Amino acid sequence: MEAAAIVLAAGAGTRMKSKKPKVAHEVLGKPLVRWVVDAARAAGVEQVVSVVGHAREQVVPLLEADTQTVVQHEQNGTAGAVAVCAEALGDFDGALVVLSGDCPLITAETIARLIAERERTQAAAVVLSMELDDPFGYGRIVRDGDGAVARIVEQKDASPEEAAIRECNSGFYCFDARALFDALQQVDDDNAQGEFYLTDVLEICRAAGRPVQALACDDTSECLGVNSRIQLAEAGKHLQRRINRAHMAAGVTMIDPDQVWIGPDVVIGQDVELLPQTFLMGRTRVGEDSVIGPNSRLTDTVVGCGCTVDETVAVEARIDDGATCGPRAYLRPAAHLCEGAKAGTHVEIKKSTVGKGSKVPHLSYIGDTTIGEDVNIGAGSITCNYDGKKKWPTTIGDGAFVGSDTMMVAPVNIGAGCIIGAGSCITKDVPADALGLTRPEQRTIEGWAAKKRERQEQA
């Protein structure tokens, strides 16, 4: 079954009150229009043409990797938007789906059903319909005496009888491509809004003797469009619940699903527990038996099996099996906790490897560093990796013990098995099994404090 799709993404979305075009606004870390394109791809659509217009310099980068973009220079209606695709789809002869780029809830299954229905009936067009208790603002589907679709009437053009109809146009269609582009040449703008309506194509096809069908949507929430920040939040809540339910059905525990947000490309293993206020975004992966949260945000991060990630922000990081992180830890890009490693409370790690079984327990910064296995980094220790112009590396060998409040000024190498005394500022390499110490000698003056208090009393 060969199918193509047109994604309408040219509108401004003035009700969003934003400098950003409507379709570029994100839900769960993904732009609205990408939800629609990805659903079409998942439905088996091979060729996707995206119609851009308003602020297209922001929209094209979201689409150019896997769709062909065409420009609607004049915002003159949905028929005008589809018509600009005629050249891009000039050689296509098959099922052509028209999708709204501001409707992120549409599923691949519904798109596939729409295509299959057109193939089954060989209709010129199949419109996805929805039954609404409050149909105000939507185009009404008017049927003839035999129950077939006669036409679609927009709200502003509807008579009182037509406005009472509850079966509405969702804005999703599947056309016979050749019938669509032939009919578009006959569409005019003789209506209340002075626009070229795509819905007029249905009546034109019927007049030409081609049948037009409607397919009822199983879940009307799939057809919800986003035209305001309020609707953006509502769409986000629908998608949050849809994604969370799928993960819970697959064996993930959430004690409060309304306080867990998971992006559409996240992969989670069985028996993972997600605690409240957990955000998993981008291409994050979480292995089996791990506990994430509370208050954790992981983006494009890989977590192994049996890990504990508590109150942690991690971006483009890697946490191997059995590692622990947090509370209140920050793993920046290229941070890597190896098997059984630990990044503890108030620890920041950037572009560094913490070896197997090694620990950075608390109040430390590790940057541009390679830490071997079974290393202990004392509290308050820092790798001083930046000289104001360039980042420099630090290497700490297996089994080393770094005392608390140690500054390691890069570039510097600390050998395997060595000990660094607390309070040291290490600026030179320390060989294996040595003691590195820069602490000044302690001086004690007996009775000094008592004499000071006596002087203060006499003053």
Side-chain angles (χ1 to χ4, degrees), residues 123-376:
V126 177
V127 57
L128 188 67
S129 69
M130 53 185 182
E131 193 85 11
L132 298 178
D133 292 333
D134 180 10
F136 183 83
Y138 289 91
R140 310 304 202 278
I141 294 178
V142 179
R143 295 181 179 269
D144 61 19
D146 298 325
V149 175
R151 64 188 184 279
I152 296 177
V153 181
E154 298 299 325
Q155 174 76 42
K156 291 183 178 181
D157 301 302
S159 67
E161 294 77 14
E162 291 167 338
I165 296 172
R166 292 173 53 200
E167 185 180 18
C168 299
N169 175 23
S170 68
F172 294 94
Y173 313 85
C174 186
F175 294 97
D176 174 278
R178 299 276 55 86
L180 169 62
F181 288 115
D182 289 345
L184 283 172
Q185 298 179 39
Q186 303 176 50
V187 175
D188 60 40
D189 60 355
D190 184 17
N191 52 62
Q193 298 190 80
E195 293 184 352
F196 295 91
Y197 292 155
L198 183 60
T199 50
D200 288 351
V201 167
L202 308 186
E203 197 169 357
I204 293 169
C205 287
R206 274 181 56 92
R210 295 290 304 273
V212 174
Q213 303 289 338
L215 176 68
C217 186
D218 291 337
D219 180 1
T220 58
S221 71
E222 288 189 41
C223 306
L224 294 177
V226 173
N227 293 295
S228 67
R229 306 291 181 131
I230 295 170
Q231 291 174 339
L232 184 70
E234 291 171 348
K237 180 57 68 174
H238 278 288
L239 288 166
Q240 176 198 22
R241 290 175 174 168
R242 179 192 295 175
I243 290 171
N244 288 0
R245 285 171 182 155
H247 283 294
M248 287 188 287
V252 175
T253 295
M254 304 178 200
I255 61 174
D256 188 350
D258 281 342
Q259 294 195 66
V260 174
W261 292 263
I262 303 172
D265 300 318
V266 172
V267 176
I268 306 174
Q270 288 185 345
D271 293 315
V272 167
E273 185 173 3
L274 303 179
L275 299 177
Q277 294 300 313
T278 289
F279 299 77
L280 305 179
M281 295 294 152
R283 298 192 176 277
T284 292
R285 304 285 186 273
V286 180
E288 296 181 354
D289 304 310
S290 290
V291 178
I292 312 296
N295 305 320
S296 294
R297 174 166 53 87
L298 278 55
T299 304
D300 296 325
T301 291
V302 177
V303 180
C305 298
C307 297
T308 299
V309 183
D310 180 9
E311 289 192 67
T312 293
V313 173
V315 181
E316 298 176 18
R318 178 177 167 187
I319 304 169
D320 288 351
D321 295 352
T324 61
C325 194
R328 293 173 294 284
Y330 182 22
L331 303 186
R332 292 167 57 190
H336 179 193
L337 300 184
C338 296
E339 183 179 351
K342 177 179 180 179
T345 306
H346 297 296
V347 168
E348 179 178 348
I349 299 176
K350 168 255 178 188
K351 199 177 180 182
S352 298
T353 297
V354 180
K356 181 179 179 180
S358 292
K359 301 176 182 179
V360 188
H362 26 230
L363 300 166
S364 295
Y365 169 71
I366 303 296
D368 297 281
T369 299
T370 301
I371 298 177
E373 297 183 2
D374 299 315
V375 172
N376 185 84

Side-chain angles (χ1 to χ4, degrees), residues 70 117 221 236 257 382 451:
V70 297
E117 181 69 8
S221 71
I382 294 173
K451 292 178 181 179

